[in-house]
mmCIF file of all heavy atoms in Angstrom:
data_model
loop_
_atom_site.group_PDB
_atom_site.id
_atom_site.type_symbol
_atom_site.label_atom_id
_atom_site.label_comp_id
_atom_site.label_asym_id
_atom_site.label_seq_id
_atom_site.Cartn_x
_atom_site.Cartn_y
_atom_site.Cartn_z
ATOM 1 N N PRO B 870 145.685 90.541 161.961
ATOM 2 C CA PRO B 870 146.217 89.234 161.619
ATOM 3 C C PRO B 870 145.134 88.306 161.061
ATOM 4 O O PRO B 870 143.982 88.415 161.446
ATOM 5 C CB PRO B 870 146.745 88.690 162.941
ATOM 6 C CG PRO B 870 146.890 89.875 163.823
ATOM 7 C CD PRO B 870 145.939 90.909 163.361
ATOM 8 N N THR B 871 145.532 87.400 160.204
ATOM 9 C CA THR B 871 144.524 86.561 159.509
ATOM 10 C C THR B 871 143.593 85.857 160.485
ATOM 11 O O THR B 871 142.385 85.769 160.217
ATOM 12 C CB THR B 871 145.205 85.475 158.632
ATOM 13 O OG1 THR B 871 146.291 84.905 159.359
ATOM 14 C CG2 THR B 871 145.760 86.056 157.353
ATOM 15 N N PHE B 872 144.146 85.430 161.637
ATOM 16 C CA PHE B 872 143.288 84.671 162.561
ATOM 17 C C PHE B 872 142.314 85.588 163.303
ATOM 18 O O PHE B 872 141.412 85.087 163.999
ATOM 19 C CB PHE B 872 144.145 83.858 163.560
ATOM 20 C CG PHE B 872 145.215 84.652 164.230
ATOM 21 C CD1 PHE B 872 144.929 85.407 165.345
ATOM 22 C CD2 PHE B 872 146.496 84.659 163.676
ATOM 23 C CE1 PHE B 872 145.952 86.173 165.934
ATOM 24 C CE2 PHE B 872 147.514 85.445 164.288
ATOM 25 C CZ PHE B 872 147.226 86.175 165.405
ATOM 26 N N LEU B 873 142.436 86.886 163.146
ATOM 27 C CA LEU B 873 141.449 87.776 163.766
ATOM 28 C C LEU B 873 140.456 88.338 162.743
ATOM 29 O O LEU B 873 139.472 89.001 163.102
ATOM 30 C CB LEU B 873 142.133 88.948 164.466
ATOM 31 C CG LEU B 873 142.816 88.621 165.789
ATOM 32 C CD1 LEU B 873 143.444 89.871 166.400
ATOM 33 C CD2 LEU B 873 141.851 88.027 166.796
ATOM 34 N N ILE B 874 140.709 88.107 161.453
ATOM 35 C CA ILE B 874 139.812 88.637 160.433
ATOM 36 C C ILE B 874 138.397 88.069 160.638
ATOM 37 O O ILE B 874 138.242 86.862 160.810
ATOM 38 C CB ILE B 874 140.332 88.320 159.006
ATOM 39 C CG1 ILE B 874 141.577 89.169 158.740
ATOM 40 C CG2 ILE B 874 139.275 88.642 157.953
ATOM 41 C CD1 ILE B 874 142.234 88.892 157.395
ATOM 42 N N GLY B 875 137.448 88.954 160.633
ATOM 43 C CA GLY B 875 136.071 88.487 160.790
ATOM 44 C C GLY B 875 135.590 88.513 162.203
ATOM 45 O O GLY B 875 134.426 88.150 162.495
ATOM 46 N N THR B 876 136.430 88.910 163.142
ATOM 47 C CA THR B 876 136.048 88.874 164.555
ATOM 48 C C THR B 876 135.701 90.258 165.098
ATOM 49 O O THR B 876 135.589 90.424 166.314
ATOM 50 C CB THR B 876 137.182 88.306 165.433
ATOM 51 O OG1 THR B 876 138.291 89.202 165.344
ATOM 52 C CG2 THR B 876 137.612 86.904 164.958
ATOM 53 N N ASP B 877 135.596 91.249 164.215
ATOM 54 C CA ASP B 877 135.446 92.620 164.651
ATOM 55 C C ASP B 877 136.599 93.029 165.563
ATOM 56 O O ASP B 877 136.448 93.654 166.614
ATOM 57 C CB ASP B 877 134.111 92.888 165.380
ATOM 58 C CG ASP B 877 132.945 92.613 164.459
ATOM 59 O OD1 ASP B 877 133.020 92.957 163.263
ATOM 60 O OD2 ASP B 877 131.933 92.073 164.946
ATOM 61 N N ALA B 878 137.796 92.652 165.146
ATOM 62 C CA ALA B 878 138.999 92.954 165.938
ATOM 63 C C ALA B 878 139.224 94.464 165.945
ATOM 64 O O ALA B 878 138.671 95.199 165.149
ATOM 65 C CB ALA B 878 140.179 92.229 165.281
ATOM 66 N N PHE B 879 140.077 94.892 166.874
ATOM 67 C CA PHE B 879 140.404 96.282 166.966
ATOM 68 C C PHE B 879 140.965 96.798 165.639
ATOM 69 O O PHE B 879 141.873 96.187 165.065
ATOM 70 C CB PHE B 879 141.424 96.522 168.074
ATOM 71 C CG PHE B 879 141.852 97.949 168.200
ATOM 72 C CD1 PHE B 879 140.904 98.931 168.582
ATOM 73 C CD2 PHE B 879 143.130 98.345 167.938
ATOM 74 C CE1 PHE B 879 141.284 100.266 168.682
ATOM 75 C CE2 PHE B 879 143.527 99.686 168.032
ATOM 76 C CZ PHE B 879 142.604 100.650 168.406
ATOM 77 N N GLN B 880 140.417 97.859 165.133
ATOM 78 C CA GLN B 880 140.828 98.460 163.850
ATOM 79 C C GLN B 880 140.695 97.502 162.682
ATOM 80 O O GLN B 880 141.458 97.576 161.723
ATOM 81 C CB GLN B 880 142.232 99.034 163.939
ATOM 82 C CG GLN B 880 142.268 100.193 164.945
ATOM 83 C CD GLN B 880 143.520 101.052 164.810
ATOM 84 O OE1 GLN B 880 144.579 100.555 164.472
ATOM 85 N NE2 GLN B 880 143.371 102.347 165.098
ATOM 86 N N GLU B 881 139.732 96.627 162.779
ATOM 87 C CA GLU B 881 139.443 95.782 161.598
ATOM 88 C C GLU B 881 138.383 96.460 160.742
ATOM 89 O O GLU B 881 137.388 96.971 161.256
ATOM 90 C CB GLU B 881 138.909 94.395 162.037
ATOM 91 C CG GLU B 881 138.593 93.550 160.787
ATOM 92 C CD GLU B 881 138.035 92.161 161.107
ATOM 93 O OE1 GLU B 881 137.819 91.844 162.292
ATOM 94 O OE2 GLU B 881 137.795 91.421 160.134
ATOM 95 N N ALA B 882 138.608 96.502 159.469
ATOM 96 C CA ALA B 882 137.571 96.903 158.511
ATOM 97 C C ALA B 882 137.718 95.957 157.348
ATOM 98 O O ALA B 882 138.796 95.472 157.051
ATOM 99 C CB ALA B 882 137.760 98.352 158.081
#
Side-chain angles (χ1 to χ4, degrees):
Chain B
T871 44
F872 49 84
L873 286 181
I874 290 178
T876 64
D877 298 322
F879 178 64
Q880 295 196 327
E881 179 181 3

